Amino acid sequence: MNAPSPSLPGGTWTLGDLTVTRFGYGAMQLAGPGVMGPPADRDGALAVLREVVDFGITHIDTADAYGPRVTNQLIREALHPYPEPLHIVTKVGATRDQQGGWPPARRPEQLRRAVHENLEALGLEALDVVNLRLGNAAGPQPGSLAEPFETLAELQQRGLIRHLGVSNATAEQVAEAQTIAPIVCVQNMYNLAYRRDDELIDTLAGQGIAYVPFFPLGGFTPLQSAALSAVAARMNATPMSVALAWLLHRSPNILLIPGTSSTTHLRENLVGAGLLLSDKDIDELEQISHQASV
């Protein structure tokens, strides 16, 4: 189902009928500090996006809430009209307040407005994939997603969305979403130390559904691990590189969306994700989650 790519680490995966590179790009860091406002270097941000496409990356993750309305505008300015292989994944379900918070926006009228705003900002007639963002900044929260997900399914039936996914979701919410409409991806927090979704990843892999981890190295609280540092030093690589390579190794349905506002860092991420981990490396890295849970 998913043919290997000779040029990018990890090969490809299919999101419904869309083929994407497993190594993708997350646009969140193109906005200003705290994901608010414009970038300090607009030309630099545009250059990163163009280099993403030049490298053959065909999966860009974004949201109109980034900025807000900053990253989508940059994507359109840099890449529109979009090359045919490129697929843009966006998310709805949260907005921004003046303090930089992420208050939920999951009422039907809010979701309809958000989808139309994404379409307008990106210059598209239909969105490739839309993730419904659930929970809050503390993580997934229990509760039914029926009303908001049914709203997105309705917009999909109208032809405004091709495929659906969920973000920051519990396993129960993933299962509930699947009773309403097919999903092609789940986007949750996951990394070497935070592995609460191990069972979910394996379940989704068996269903041919992608899992897209955010905060692959701990996010705003960077992962600190002697084992990770030791493996990275032994390979003459950065901890982030090793963490990305491990994620690609962890399961074939894991897609990477590391973000950066630097073309140099983008190249480093690409090289790093292609690291070949030995059985010894993997054994050492597997211990990190056990130590973190003690």
Side-chain angles (χ1 to χ4, degrees):
M1 179 176 66
N2 298 290
S5 167
S7 56
L8 290 173
T12 61
W13 185 263
T14 55
L15 299 171
D17 60 348
L18 310 176
T19 299
V20 297
T21 51
R22 286 183 67 203
F23 188 97
Y25 172 75
M28 185 173 72
Q29 291 188 30
L30 293 182
V35 202
M36 291 291 286
D41 180 2
R42 185 178 185 85
D43 289 341
L46 297 173
V48 168
L49 287 164
R50 290 172 181 137
E51 190 146 340
V52 164
V53 171
D54 288 344
F55 275 129
I57 295 168
T58 62
H59 173 199
I60 293 180
D61 180 84
T62 185
D64 210 40
Y66 297 162
R69 295 175 297 280
V70 169
T71 61
N72 281 358
Q73 292 172 0
L74 290 169
I75 290 169
R76 181 173 183 173
E77 181 177 345
L79 303 176
H80 194 277
Y82 304 111
E84 185 176 348
L86 180 65
H87 299 295
I88 299 172
V89 176
T90 189
K91 66 180 67 65
V92 295
T95 185
R96 304 304 302 277
D97 58 29
Q98 293 183 343
Q99 292 73 41
W102 301 80
R106 295 193 285 267
R107 296 195 303 273
E109 66 273 16
Q110 292 174 312
L111 293 172
R112 294 188 188 101
R113 185 184 315 118
V115 166
H116 283 285
E117 287 173 349
N118 274 276
L119 287 167
E120 181 179 1
L122 290 167
L124 292 169
E125 294 183 357
L127 299 170
D128 283 334
V129 183
V130 174
N131 285 316
L132 173 63
R133 185 186 189 275
L134 299 162
N136 55 34
Q141 303 295 317
S144 175
L145 52 59
E147 183 180 55
F149 203 72
E150 286 169 357
T151 300
L152 294 184
E154 170 199 334
L155 294 171
Q156 182 184 37
Q157 291 169 1
R158 289 172 50 193
L160 300 180
I161 300 171
R162 291 192 174 92
H163 300 289
L164 298 173
V166 291
S167 177
N168 207 28
T170 66
E172 292 75 19
Q173 288 165 338
V174 172
E176 183 184 15
Q178 292 176 291
T179 68
I180 297 169
I183 63 171
V184 298
C185 57
V186 174
Q187 187 178 113
N188 278 1
M189 180 174 172
Y190 182 81
N191 56 52
L192 273 165
Y194 189 89
R195 297 182 55 178
R196 296 184 184 179
D197 275 356
D198 271 334
E199 183 177 349
L200 177 61
I201 289 171
D202 295 338
T203 298
L204 294 173
Q207 297 173 348
I209 297 172
Y211 183 93
V212 188
F214 59 78
F215 293 163
L217 199 60
F220 300 115
T221 306
L223 177 64
Q224 301 293 320
S225 166
L228 178 59
S229 298
V231 172
R234 190 165 63 235
M235 301 187 73
N236 194 27
T238 66
M240 174 60 92
S241 296
V242 174
L244 293 177
W246 177 82
L247 285 168
L248 285 180
H249 171 84
R250 166 63 183 83
S251 182
N253 67 321
I254 287 183
L255 310 185
L256 302 184
I257 50 168
T260 179
S261 58
S262 158
T263 55
T264 299
H265 192 200
L266 174 64
R267 296 186 196 104
E268 290 174 352
N269 284 342
L270 264 170
V271 172
L275 291 174
L276 296 178
L277 300 175
S278 68
D279 290 343
K280 177 183 178 183
D281 297 329
I282 294 167
D283 287 343
E284 289 183 31
L285 295 171
E286 292 286 334
Q287 297 306 310
I288 292 174
S289 64
H290 300 308
Q291 295 165 359
S293 62
V294 174

